[in-house]
C-alpha cells in the first residue's frame, strides 16, 4: 500500500496553513510540469507570469489561483521561478525558499542568474522531480522542526532494548510530545503486543512494503494504531519480515516530518534497511546488560552501528561483576554513557499483566526515561507522572 501526501487534507490543508507555493513562468510546457508536480505533492499553487506586486497579472486559462493581492513574492512559502522568468524577477527583494527551475539548464550563465535572484538551488527537470516534489510537500504539510529521532538497540540478546524503547515512547507521550514508536525488528515479537494492542486497527509494516517515493507524514500518522496516546508502527502476525530499504527510508522520513519524538526499536543486525533507518536518527542508545559477555558482544554491535549512526551512547542495565561500573563499560565500548538502569524487580510480571513498560511512571525504568527526555528535550518540556 502506498500512502501519498494528498491522503490527509491535500490542498485544503495547505490553504488553511498558507502553504501554497508561487510559480512564476511564461513557458507553457514548464508550467504544465510544475502544476503536475504540485498536484503530486498535494499543493494548489498560485501562478504568475511575473513578480506579484510589480504590475504582473495572473496567469490565464484557469491555471491562475488567487490575485496579486492574495499572495506575493515575499509572502509565499516557496517560489518556483522558471528559467525563462529569471531576468524579470532580478530586482525582487531577497528571500529564502526560491528555486530556479527549467529543462535546459546546461547554460553556464544559469548559475549567474540563480545568484542574481537569490535562488537556493538550480533544479533541472526531469532529473530533479522527486527533489522538487519533496520540497513542495514540505510546504503543504507545514514542515517545521523535524522530530527528535532516537534509536534503541540491544548490545546482546535479551538486553531489554524493546522494553526501553517502549518506555521511552510512553514517557514522551505522557509529557505531551507527539510520539511515534517504530518497530524496526521484524523478529522481535511486535511492539504492539508489548503495548497490549495487537488487535488494534491500523496499518503495519507489510502495508508499507510497496511504498515508493515520498510517504505523506499526516497520512502515515493517521493510518497507524493509537495506543496509550502514541502512534505505533509494528509488524503483523504474517510471514513477511522484509521491507525494502527504500520503503524504510520513506516511512521513517515521514514520521520525522511530523515533529515531536520518534523512537525506533532496532534489530542487532545492521543490514541495508536498518542502515537507512540509522542514517536518519539523531541518537542511538545501545542497551548493554551488566555482564562481561554482553559487553564483549556489544563491541561487535557497536562497530556495525557506528558505520552509519552519528551519535551512539551506552545504557547499562544492571551492575557488572568484576569491579566494572557503568562508566567503565562505556569506556570499553568507546561511547558516552547515557545512564544506568537498575534491574527492576517485578517489571516482567507487570508487563505480563498488561501494564506497558514505563506506563505508570514508577520504578527505575520510568525515572531513567523521564530524566533522559528532560536532558535532551529541555526542562521546559518535562514529563508528567
Amino acid at each position: 500500500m502506498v500512502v501519498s501526501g494528498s491522503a490527509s487534507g491535500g490542498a485544503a490543508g495547505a490553504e488553511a496553513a498558507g502553504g501554497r507555493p508561487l510559480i512564476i513562468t511564461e513557458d507553457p510546457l514548464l508550467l504544465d510540469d510544475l502544476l503536475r508536480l504540485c498536484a503530486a505533492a498535494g499543493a494548489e499553487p498560485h501562478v504568475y507570469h511575473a513578480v506579484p506586486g510589480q504590475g504582473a497579472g495572473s496567469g490565464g486559462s484557469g491555471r491562475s489561483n488567487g490575485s496579486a493581492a492574495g499572495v506575493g513574492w515575499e509572502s509565499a512559502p516557496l517560489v518556483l521561478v522558471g528559467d525563462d522568468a529569471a531576468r524579470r524577477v532580478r530586482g525582487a527583494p531577497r528571500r529564502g525558499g526560491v528555486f530556479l527551475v527549467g529543462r535546459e539548464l546546461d547554460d553556464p550563465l544559469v548559475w549567474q542568474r540563480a545568484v542574481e535572484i537569490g535562488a537556493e538551488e538550480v533544479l533541472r527537470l526531469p532529473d530533479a522531480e522527486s527533489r522538487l516534489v519533496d520540497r513542495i510537500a514540505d510546504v503543504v504539510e507545514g514542515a517545521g522542526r523535524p522530530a527528535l529521532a532516537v534509536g534503541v538497540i540491544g548490545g546482546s540478546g535479551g538486553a531489554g532494548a524493546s522494553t526501553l524503547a517502549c518506555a521511552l515512547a510512553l514517557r514522551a507521550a505522557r509529557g505531551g510530545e507527539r510520539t511515534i514508536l517504530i518497530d524496526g525488528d521484524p523478529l522481535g515479537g511486535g511492539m504492539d503486543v508489548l503495548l497490549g494492542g495487537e488487535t488494534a486497527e491500523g496499518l503495519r509494516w507489510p502495508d508499507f512494503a510497496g511504498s515508493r517515493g515520498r510517504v505523506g507524514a499526516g497520512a502515515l500518522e493517521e493510518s497507524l494504531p493509537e495506543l496509550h496516546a502514541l502512534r505505533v508502527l509494528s509488524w503483523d502476525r504474517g510471514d513477511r519480515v522484509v521491507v525494502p530499504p527504500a520503503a524504510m527510508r520513506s516511512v521513517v522520513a515521514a514520521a520525522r516530518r511530523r515533529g515531536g519524538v520518534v523512537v525506533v526499536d532496532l534489530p542487532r543486525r545492521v543490514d541495508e534497511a536498518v542502515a537507512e533507518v540509522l542514517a536518519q536518527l539523531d541518537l542511538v542508545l545501545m542497551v548493554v546488560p551488566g555482564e562481561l559477555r554482553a559487553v564483549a558482544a556489544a563491541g561487535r554491535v557497536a562497530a556495525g552501528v557506528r558505520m552509519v549512526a552519528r551519535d551512539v551512547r551506552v545504557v547499562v542495565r544492571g551492575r557488572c561483576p568484576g569491579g566494572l561500573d557503568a562508566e567503565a563499560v562505556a569506556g570499553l565500548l568507546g561511547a558516552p554513557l547515557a545512564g544506568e538502569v537498575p534491574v527492576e524487580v517485578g517489571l516482567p510480571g507487570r508487563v505480563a499483566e498488561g501494564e506497558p513498560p514505563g506506563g505508570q511512571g514508577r520504578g527505575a525504568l520510568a525515572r531513567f526515561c523521564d530524566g533522559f527526555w528532560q536532558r535532551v528535550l529541555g526542562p521546559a518540556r518535562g514529563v508528567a507522572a
Side-chain angles (χ1 to χ4, degrees):
M1 177 176 179
V2 180
V3 181
S4 69
S6 60
S8 62
E15 176 71 11
R20 295 175 63 177
L22 173 64
I23 297 174
I24 303 174
T25 183
E26 291 183 0
D27 183 337
L29 296 179
L30 178 60
L31 178 58
D32 283 343
D33 284 334
L34 294 178
L35 291 173
R36 172 175 55 83
L37 297 177
C38 284
E44 183 181 357
H46 294 277
V47 180
Y48 286 89
H49 291 323
V51 183
Q54 295 186 357
S58 301
S61 304
R63 293 177 175 179
S64 175
N65 300 287
S67 64
V71 68
W73 172 271
E74 295 182 68
S75 61
L78 184 73
V79 180
L80 307 177
V81 180
D83 187 43
D84 65 292
R87 289 183 177 87
R88 294 193 298 282
V89 302
R90 191 161 45 190
R94 292 302 175 100
R95 52 150 295 163
V98 176
F99 291 83
L100 184 62
V101 188
R103 286 189 166 278
E104 301 295 335
L105 296 180
D106 295 329
D107 180 0
L109 295 179
V110 70
W111 303 104
Q112 179 181 332
R113 294 194 290 275
V115 171
E116 289 173 348
I117 67 172
E120 290 185 11
E121 198 169 339
V122 175
L123 301 175
R124 183 165 71 95
L125 303 182
D127 297 348
E129 286 193 355
S130 61
R131 161 76 172 154
L132 189 49
V133 169
D134 282 349
R135 290 306 300 263
I136 297 169
D138 282 342
V139 170
V140 174
E141 295 174 353
R145 184 176 181 179
L148 175 67
V150 178
V152 185
I153 190 169
S156 65
S162 296
T163 298
L164 178 57
C166 180
L168 282 170
L170 278 171
R171 300 312 298 163
R174 290 290 175 87
E177 296 291 334
R178 169 185 272 138
T179 305
I180 296 181
L181 175 60
I182 297 177
D183 187 352
D185 186 358
L187 303 180
M191 295 299 286
D192 54 350
V193 176
L194 191 57
L195 288 163
E198 59 269 30
T199 61
E201 293 185 1
L203 302 185
R204 266 67 173 181
W205 265 121
D207 297 307
F208 295 95
S211 298
R212 295 292 183 271
R214 184 187 181 94
V215 175
L220 171 68
E221 184 178 34
E222 293 172 7
S223 71
L224 300 179
E226 184 173 8
L227 304 170
H228 302 279
L230 58 92
R231 298 285 180 166
V232 182
L233 175 55
S234 189
W235 299 83
D236 61 11
R237 264 29 81 188
D239 295 333
R240 181 162 194 155
V241 294
V242 176
V243 171
M248 279 277 193
R249 178 177 63 250
S250 297
V251 169
V252 174
R256 293 202 67 198
R257 287 197 301 274
R258 291 299 281 175
V261 166
V262 173
V263 179
V264 186
D265 181 38
L266 296 163
R268 294 173 59 214
R269 181 174 179 270
V270 180
D271 56 18
E272 188 177 353
V274 174
E276 291 286 359
V277 178
L278 287 170
Q280 298 191 61
L281 298 179
D282 298 297
L283 170 65
V284 176
L285 298 177
M286 184 168 59
V287 185
V288 183
E291 303 168 1
L292 293 176
R293 288 185 63 204
V295 174
R300 293 189 290 271
V301 176
V305 172
R306 282 199 194 97
M307 294 178 65
V308 187
R310 295 186 293 269
D311 188 350
V312 181
R313 305 181 196 180
V314 174
V315 175
V316 177
R317 180 169 168 265
R319 295 190 176 275
C320 290
L324 285 178
D325 59 15
E327 290 282 0
V329 171
L332 288 172
L333 295 172
L337 179 66
E340 181 178 0
V341 181
V343 174
E344 189 171 325
V345 177
L347 177 61
R350 294 199 301 272
V351 172
E353 292 173 359
E355 178 185 313
Q360 297 302 318
R362 63 176 183 264
L365 180 61
R367 288 194 297 272
F368 169 85
C369 294
D370 291 352
F372 172 81
W373 290 127
Q374 288 173 358
R375 289 192 300 274
V376 300
L377 294 174
R381 297 161 75 179
V383 180

